[in-house]
Amino acid sequence: QKEVEQNSGPLSVPEGAIASLNCTYSDRGSQSFFWYRQYSGKSPELIMFIYSNGDKEDGRFTAQLNKASQYVSLLIRDSQPSDSATYLCASLGAGNNRKLIWGLGTSLAVNP
Amino acid sequence: DAGVIQSPRHEVTEMGQEVTLRCKPISGHDYLFWYRQTMMRGLELLIYFNNNVPIDDSGMPEDRFSAKMPNASFSTLKIQPSEPRDSAVYFCASSGTGSVETQYFGPGTRLLVL
């Protein structure tokens, strides 16, 4: 059974701090990893994807991938109250199948 | 450019009734995904299409669920007969060949089966 696991939270951080969200996956064949943000009552929207070991930065967001440890993380610098949402981690296997395996999400609360 | 369109946005029905959910993907996208989201099970892929052809329907819970994509701009997900455990938010998402990694989600249909 291929799984993606996340701490459900809630993760609470003060405004301006760094929020660190973590995700582990069971399928060593997974090639690409995705972070989606979902506001309450809304649909998921893609923040970043990463497929190479190391870091990938986009504005205040940094995705980190360690395939040896089967670990993905998302760092949010200078957290804002508008970052308060649920963050979903997903993995995609090799080959042509486009089926994403989703974690249950981590709830983040940024306190003013 | 319009995003993914879903209808209805909310549906309340009684157990045993037929429910049809509709989706219009982003123009030019050739992948379409149907998801179900609940608190307990999270986001689950039910089925996805490529160029209107079903590719993976392993997530379809049982024979009560069926999905069709008669053309590139329209898809339906049908539940017949509906049961209370089908209550969830159903999302449709689409992506294009040029960027298959990015799935764009519609606003979802909130289904409540009484």
Side-chain angles (χ1 to χ4, degrees):
Chain A
Q1 180 79 356
K2 299 175 183 178
E3 293 182 341
V4 171
E5 295 191 357
Q6 299 180 252
N7 187 324
S8 63
L11 174 65
S12 183
V13 300
E15 183 175 355
I18 295 176
S20 178
L21 304 161
N22 305 313
C23 169
T24 59
Y25 59 95
S26 63
D27 180 15
R28 284 197 172 273
S30 297
Q31 295 293 311
S32 304
F33 304 87
F34 305 82
W35 284 101
Y36 280 76
R37 176 177 63 199
Q38 186 174 23
Y39 292 113
S40 180
K42 302 296 184 182
S43 55
E45 56 179 338
L46 181 68
I47 300 175
M48 296 184 69
F49 67 88
I50 185 169
Y51 49 84
S52 299
N53 273 328
D55 296 358
K56 179 180 179 182
E57 188 174 318
D58 184 0
R60 296 187 296 112
F61 299 93
T62 298
Q64 300 175 318
L65 173 60
N66 184 325
K67 290 188 176 180
S69 300
Q70 296 177 239
Y71 180 90
V72 191
S73 65
L74 179 70
L75 301 179
I76 307 174
R77 291 181 299 280
D78 188 24
S79 296
Q80 301 297 309
S82 59
D83 295 324
S84 298
T86 295
Y87 290 80
L88 301 169
C89 174
S91 69
L92 181 66
N96 294 323
N97 195 309
R98 311 313 301 174
K99 180 175 182 176
L100 291 175
I101 306 299
W102 295 82
L104 292 179
T106 298
S107 175
L108 172 66
V110 181
N111 305 308
Chain B
D1 191 16
V4 176
I5 299 172
Q6 291 187 247
S7 65
R9 295 291 304 276
H10 302 272
E11 177 82 19
V12 180
T13 190
E14 293 186 347
M15 183 174 63
Q17 296 298 306
E18 178 179 293
V19 175
T20 299
L21 311 181
R22 297 173 176 80
C23 175
K24 176 179 170 55
I26 293 172
S27 178
H29 281 188
D30 48 6
Y31 285 87
L32 184 139
F33 305 82
W34 280 104
Y35 289 96
R36 178 173 66 179
Q37 187 175 40
T38 61
M39 289 293 291
M40 290 299 296
R41 299 175 66 89
L43 199 59
E44 302 173 280
L45 177 68
L46 300 176
I47 185 172
Y48 81 89
F49 296 83
N50 179 217
N51 291 321
N52 312 337
V53 176
I55 303 300
D56 186 336
D57 65 354
S58 60
M60 295 287 264
E62 49 200 270
D63 292 344
R64 297 185 298 107
F65 285 69
S66 62
K68 294 181 179 180
M69 192 165 186
N71 58 62
S73 60
F74 184 66
S75 178
T76 60
L77 177 68
K78 187 174 293 186
I79 308 172
Q80 166 64 17
S82 58
E83 297 182 2
R85 59 190 169 127
D86 302 329
S87 298
V89 180
Y90 291 81
F91 289 107
C92 175
S94 70
S95 66
T97 302
S99 180
V100 293
E101 299 89 353
T102 304
Q103 294 186 17
Y104 295 87
F105 282 74
T109 295
R110 295 182 178 275
L111 173 65
L112 177 61
V113 183
L114 302 173

